[in-house]
Amino acid sequence: MALNVCKEVIRKDYPDLSVAQFKRLMFEAYIASTIILTDGQSPHLKIIQKINHLLTQLAA
């Protein structure tokens, strides 16, 4: 089921990524969000969007 959900998300939002690239992107997003949350400060939305954009570029 998880693989089917993953493939559907890729199809809709990231059509140029393979499953492996999408998995890497999700892992990197998880690491980035963990670092941001453990910092103890409330980060600005534009910073989070910039990080997500950079991670998407790295995965492509």
Side-chain angles (χ1 to χ4, degrees):
M1 183 175 127
L3 181 60
N4 290 335
V5 170
C6 179
K7 286 181 180 180
E8 184 63 22
V9 170
I10 292 170
R11 186 185 67 77
K12 290 174 76 178
D13 298 330
Y14 303 97
D16 296 334
L17 297 182
S18 68
V19 173
Q21 290 171 321
F22 183 73
K23 180 180 173 185
R24 172 91 181 180
L25 174 65
M26 291 297 105
F27 176 74
E28 291 171 354
Y30 169 75
I31 294 296
S33 66
T34 301
I35 291 169
I36 289 170
L37 291 175
T38 57
D39 186 33
Q41 298 178 7
S42 179
H44 195 272
L45 180 61
K46 288 190 179 195
I47 294 172
I48 294 172
Q49 290 172 339
K50 183 177 179 180
I51 290 170
N52 285 336
H53 179 71
L54 291 172
L55 289 173
T56 304
Q57 288 178 337
L58 288 174

